[in-house]
Amino acid sequence: MCTTYVAHTIAQRLQDRERDGRSDGTPAPQPLLVRLNPAVEHKTRGNAAVALHTTLDPAEAVSIVGRVVNRLAEADDPNTNPGVVAAPDDAGWSGIDDNDAVLAFARAALWDHLTIADAERVLGVTGYQSESWGNGRGRIGALAAVGAWIGRRRALEADASATTGDREGTGGGFTDWTYECISYRQRERWGTPREVAEESVYRAAEEGYPTVWDTVDRDERELVCVPHTPCPILHGVRGDDPDACETVAGAIESEPVATRETFVTNQGTDAHLHDAEHLDSVADGRAYRVAGTIGSRPETKRGGHVFTTLEDDSGAIECVAFEPTKRFRDRVRALGPGDRITVCGEVSDGTLKLEKFAVRSLRRTERATPTCPDCDRRMESAGREQGYRCRDCGTQAPEKVEREIERDLESGWYEVPPCARRHVAKPLVRGGFDAPTHPER
Ligand code: ZN
């Protein structure tokens, strides 16, 4: 079952119970939707975890959560292993050692691989209440979501005090946040084709851009915000501002929306990327930002996947743009040996799956067989180490010449189109890159 829908249902139950018990009417903070290391194998679709806030007692909260999970999660499915963790609301405050451990755990869940034993160790230290179904793996994501909240809170505190200036040190990995307004379908429609008025989505997307992004893919004519899975989501609108996301969601004409929730999320932030100094420090199961030189002419292989090789003094790695990345493959095909670029993507089986790349410098000339200045014909080899010679007039040339090459790329960042974007990958239109950008929309 869709993680965000379970979370939304839980949030509603918690709020209902809070209303019974207290009357100050302050709204709960927005729920937090965190995407963890996309390279982890055992995961929910998109490796998502959610953190919710409640004024209820932890034991009561856990019991409410348990009832909803029992009802909604497909707990008999061996691949479904939900987990719940309840942390006190001092999460975020510096000076509480436990919070450092939980934040470190969340970073590891974002950047590396964790075991159930890792989660149990931190739960043991903090004394947080937890509950799990199946093999208990869900507690990893649940604990990481608490840690992500700590990171966010610390980043906000650092911003507010404006004295520390070291956002990365305080909230590292969880400093950049975006929003997603998710609209859910009526239960009786789950699994049936979604009724969404296509033109209204393009119109709303255009209105909201660039604050709201990845709503549609204009070139592929695809409604990116509408999922294809039989899940309860009707559409999810992503962007930098919660109100702008809600406005776009509200402007989409469709079947009735059963309910709606706006999440704070690390989607579209590149939070998963490690900066690697050299190619020999790149390892499977993690995602990187790393520089190098193109070693081989890109090659389109069976299935339409485009492969090339990136090299530096320390080694080499194969890079691939898969068929679903569509027009991005033309950008990769336009690269050539000698080009210096920076690539971003996840590494598995020794291959980096390209999410974006930056052209740092392009090779503008190549060594070529000379052309005869008189006949304008390609010369031919005059024999080993004998230089070149025109067959028609006999003009000779001592060696190959530098010839200018036409290039179809410019300096700066290129990215996969919205239809192929991974949840956590940052769209170029969001800005903050170290070179000019060529955003896809
Ligand atoms: Zn000639």
Coordinates of all heavy atoms in Angstrom, one line a residue, residues 276-282 290-292 310-317:
A276 N 32.4 12.7 -5.1 CA 33.6 11.8 -5.2 C 34.7 12.6 -5.8 O 34.6 13.2 -6.8 CB 33.3 10.6 -6.0
E277 N 35.9 12.5 -5.2 CA 37.1 13.2 -5.7 C 37.6 12.5 -6.9 O 38.1 13.1 -7.9 CB 38.2 13.3 -4.6 CG 37.9 14.1 -3.4 CD 38.5 15.5 -3.5 OE1 39.4 15.7 -4.4 OE2 38.1 16.4 -2.8
H278 N 37.6 11.2 -6.9 CA 38.2 10.4 -7.9 C 37.3 9.2 -8.3 O 36.5 8.8 -7.4 CB 39.6 9.8 -7.5 CG 40.5 10.9 -7.1 ND1 41.1 11.7 -8.0 CD2 41.0 11.2 -5.8 CE1 41.9 12.6 -7.3 NE2 41.8 12.3 -6.0
L279 N 37.5 8.7 -9.5 CA 36.6 7.6 -9.9 C 36.9 6.3 -9.1 O 36.0 5.5 -9.0 CB 36.8 7.4 -11.4 CG 36.1 8.4 -12.3 CD1 36.5 8.2 -13.8 CD2 34.6 8.4 -12.2
D280 N 38.1 6.2 -8.6 CA 38.4 4.9 -7.9 C 37.7 4.9 -6.5 O 37.8 3.9 -5.8 CB 39.9 4.6 -7.8 CG 40.6 5.7 -7.0 OD1 40.0 6.7 -6.5 OD2 41.8 5.5 -6.8
S281 N 37.1 6.0 -6.1 CA 36.4 6.0 -4.8 C 34.9 5.8 -5.0 O 34.2 5.8 -4.0 CB 36.7 7.3 -4.0 OG 36.3 8.4 -4.8
V282 N 34.5 5.5 -6.2 CA 33.1 5.3 -6.5 C 32.8 3.8 -6.3 O 33.5 2.9 -6.7 CB 32.8 5.7 -8.0 CG1 31.5 5.2 -8.4 CG2 32.8 7.2 -8.1
V290 N 30.6 13.2 -9.8 CA 32.0 13.0 -10.0 C 32.4 13.5 -11.4 O 31.7 13.4 -12.3 CB 32.4 11.5 -9.8 CG1 31.6 10.6 -10.8 CG2 33.8 11.2 -9.8
A291 N 33.7 14.0 -11.5 CA 34.2 14.6 -12.7 C 35.1 13.6 -13.4 O 35.7 12.8 -12.8 CB 34.9 15.9 -12.5
G292 N 35.2 13.8 -14.7 CA 36.2 12.9 -15.5 C 36.2 13.4 -17.0 O 35.6 14.4 -17.3
L310 N 33.7 7.1 -18.7 CA 34.3 8.3 -18.0 C 35.6 7.8 -17.4 O 35.7 6.8 -16.8 CB 33.3 8.8 -17.0 CG 33.7 10.2 -16.4 CD1 33.4 11.3 -17.5 CD2 32.8 10.5 -15.2
E311 N 36.7 8.7 -17.6 CA 38.0 8.3 -17.1 C 38.6 9.4 -16.3 O 38.3 10.6 -16.5 CB 39.0 8.0 -18.2 CG 38.5 6.9 -19.2 CD 39.4 6.8 -20.4 OE1 40.2 7.7 -20.7 OE2 39.3 5.8 -21.1
D312 N 39.5 9.1 -15.3 CA 40.4 10.1 -14.7 C 41.7 9.3 -14.4 O 41.8 8.2 -14.8 CB 39.8 10.8 -13.5 CG 39.6 9.9 -12.3 OD1 40.0 8.7 -12.3 OD2 39.0 10.3 -11.3
D313 N 42.6 10.0 -13.7 CA 43.9 9.4 -13.5 C 43.8 8.1 -12.6 O 44.7 7.3 -12.7 CB 44.8 10.4 -12.8 CG 45.2 11.5 -13.7 OD1 45.1 11.4 -14.9 OD2 45.6 12.6 -13.2
S314 N 42.7 8.0 -11.9 CA 42.6 6.9 -10.9 C 41.9 5.7 -11.5 O 42.0 4.6 -11.0 CB 41.8 7.3 -9.7 OG 40.5 7.5 -10.0
G315 N 41.1 5.9 -12.6 CA 40.4 4.7 -13.2 C 39.4 5.2 -14.2 O 39.4 6.3 -14.7
A316 N 38.4 4.3 -14.4 CA 37.3 4.5 -15.4 C 36.0 3.9 -14.9 O 36.1 3.0 -14.1 CB 37.7 4.0 -16.7
I317 N 34.9 4.5 -15.4 CA 33.6 3.9 -15.1 C 32.7 4.0 -16.3 O 32.8 5.0 -17.0 CB 33.0 4.5 -13.8 CG1 31.8 3.8 -13.4 CG2 32.6 6.0 -14.1 CD1 31.3 4.2 -12.0

